[in-house]
Amino acid sequence: MSQLDFFASAPTPAIPKPATTVPQLDLKTLESWLWDSANILRGSIDSSDFKNYIFGLLFLKRANDVFEEEVDAIVARDGVSREDAEEDTYFHIPAEARWAEVKKATENIGVVLDKAFAAIERDNTQLEGVMTATKFGDKEKLSDHTLQRLLSHFNRHSLRNADLYTPDLLGDAYEYLIKQFADDAGKKGGEFYTPRGVVKLVVGLIKPEAKNRVYDPTCGSGGMLIEAARYIAEQPNGKVGNNINVSLYGQEKNLGTWAIAKLNMLLHNFDSADLRKGDTLVSPAHKNGDNELMLFDRVIANPPFSQDRWWTPAEVSQEKKLDKHGKEKEIAPNYASVVVDNFGRLHYGIPPRGYADMAFLQHMLAVLKQDGRMGVVLPHGTLFRGGAEGSIRQKLLEADLVEGIVGLPSALFYNTGIPAAIWVLAKTKTPARRGNVLLLDASQEFKPGKNQNELEDHHVERVLAAYNAGQDEDKYMRVVSLAEIKANDYNLNVSRYIDRSEEAGSIDLDFVKASLQELEEKEAEVDAKLNALLEELGI
């Protein structure tokens, strides 16, 4: 049995169902149950950290329940003892990590949980560093009372495959929780969550195919990779048996977010996804040998917007000087001279210290196959900022690498209210698209929300239909020649090329004059009545 089978599909035990069975858990009940666990944590830890603790306990409960389910199946099938069956499971839960044992703890519960997670990693090397990324043993953050409440809460429902309405129910609930935690965490939510509508749109623009290697250099909680796999599953030859015909790769700098991404992959049945830890710009992890980067068919990302001080080797030790008041002041490093990339990724120029956007774009381009496609969400300023970024943009355009730009609505993301844009790049454009850039203004494609606007499915479908058609559409999309873009100093601001303004209607002066005269007559009539009333009152 593969690990995918362990999490995805129930064993087929020859065990008769008892007369009274546990009702299968539906998505709405599961979501409510899991979200209630966040309410138990309120006041103990910051809301942006809820996900780390809840996802860890969710995985522990799920792994235990499916482990017990598999043990029951082996006992029934082979007629062996439970002890022997426990040694024959694919995913092993050591004794100190069994749910029944953890539940018994009444003091130092956090330490018990930390030991349980460490034991799971010890016996299942594919989870190394995942389960222990979050520490439960700090009593200043989580008291024994709070942890007891959490364990009791998680004990309410069975997460065996047989007790779930669908095998992927937990994966769907996991996505729901990630969105809810992003809502709850506010701006910090943007560090690990990209709105689903944006993800669907980027995936639809780059069109991943069966057998593709898909890579996200800033994968967050893994949502873009999972959506790419779902897209492929709907394509011809997209599935081989129950497996989606895709290879997923990603890298994430934040350790806690990386751990969540690993669990997300497991719960969505992508156990073979190759997710690495670390800073992609400084230390790209997916390599063939020491100095050769792996190449991918599709590259997709929503990097942190305009990351400051992005080349950490230049920030480790900075020169200092005395200002006019005699105080020490750091001298900002000149990135144009201090950034040295051994992989040759910054071929089109070195971005400034305060904006990593074009560094991420160039990294993605460097690992893209010659016939590949990439889509990256970047802040709106990348379309028109000058200086080093303007020079990089010009060189990308002159090399005819930019296939299209989709301008997005404002307030879609948790970490910023500013609008963003999707850059679609291809090293080998189709003949029909060479020498041109598709510019699409999707700024009005959204459902208004209290805090964030939302791209719904029908908005995504309209954008994709127009982009795929590749024809001019009034006030919406234009196919713009590189010559015209050059004449505009390589500025890609969508509003420069697509005019959404409405013509002012003609004014009938005679009608306006007659209306004003009518209003004056009515005003005089009202004044007369008012004066008559005042006279009657003796005023």
Side-chain angles (χ1 to χ4, degrees), residues 311-330:
W311 191 258
T312 50
E315 304 292 342
V316 173
S317 58
Q318 295 180 25
E319 294 183 26
K320 296 182 180 180
K321 67 177 182 179
L322 296 178
D323 63 16
K324 61 182 180 181
H325 302 293
K327 293 183 179 180
E328 280 193 344
K329 182 179 179 182
E330 289 183 345

Side-chain angles (χ1 to χ4, degrees), residues 368 370 372-374 400-403 424-429:
L368 186 67
Q370 192 61 38
R373 291 166 60 79
M374 60 172 272
D400 204 8
L401 294 167
V402 183
E403 179 186 286
V424 182
L425 280 76
K427 287 185 175 178
T428 306
K429 289 186 182 180

Side-chain angles (χ1 to χ4, degrees), residues 156-175:
R156 284 174 51 192
H157 293 288
S158 166
L159 295 178
R160 292 183 174 218
N161 285 307
D163 295 327
L164 299 181
Y165 181 70
T166 176
D168 196 33
L169 185 69
L170 211 62
D172 293 339
Y174 193 96
E175 285 190 25

Side-chain angles (χ1 to χ4, degrees), residues 201 205 207 406 433 438-442 445 458-479:
L201 180 53
L205 289 168
K207 298 184 178 67
V406 177
R433 293 190 173 177
L438 276 65
L439 294 175
L440 193 150
D441 184 353
E445 298 289 344
H458 64 95
H459 299 128
V460 173
E461 289 164 6
R462 187 191 175 200
V463 172
L464 292 177
Y467 191 94
N468 292 334
Q471 303 294 325
D472 287 359
E473 188 174 333
D474 189 38
K475 302 185 184 301
Y476 195 63
M477 196 185 88
R478 278 194 63 204
V479 180

Side-chain angles (χ1 to χ4, degrees), residues 524-539:
E525 185 180 338
V526 170
D527 286 344
K529 289 181 179 179
L530 179 59
N531 289 331
L533 288 171
L534 292 173
E535 284 184 16
E536 288 181 12
L537 295 171
I539 298 175

Side-chain angles (χ1 to χ4, degrees), residues 111-179:
V111 174
V112 172
L113 284 167
D114 286 341
K115 288 180 177 178
F117 289 132
I120 289 176
E121 285 190 10
R122 181 194 68 219
D123 286 14
N124 301 275
T125 55
Q126 71 271 34
L127 289 177
E128 183 179 355
V130 176
M131 308 306 300
T132 54
T134 300
K135 303 300 181 185
F136 284 78
D138 186 349
K139 285 193 175 182
E140 291 187 3
K141 287 186 176 180
L142 290 173
S143 66
D144 281 335
H145 174 69
T146 299
L147 286 173
Q148 272 186 323
R149 288 183 62 199
L150 271 178
L151 290 176
S152 177
H153 182 75
F154 272 91
N155 199 52
R156 284 174 51 192
H157 293 288
S158 166
L159 295 178
R160 292 183 174 218
N161 285 307
D163 295 327
L164 299 181
Y165 181 70
T166 176
D168 196 33
L169 185 69
L170 211 62
D172 293 339
Y174 193 96
E175 285 190 25
Y176 162 83
L177 277 178
I178 287 176
K179 181 185 184 306

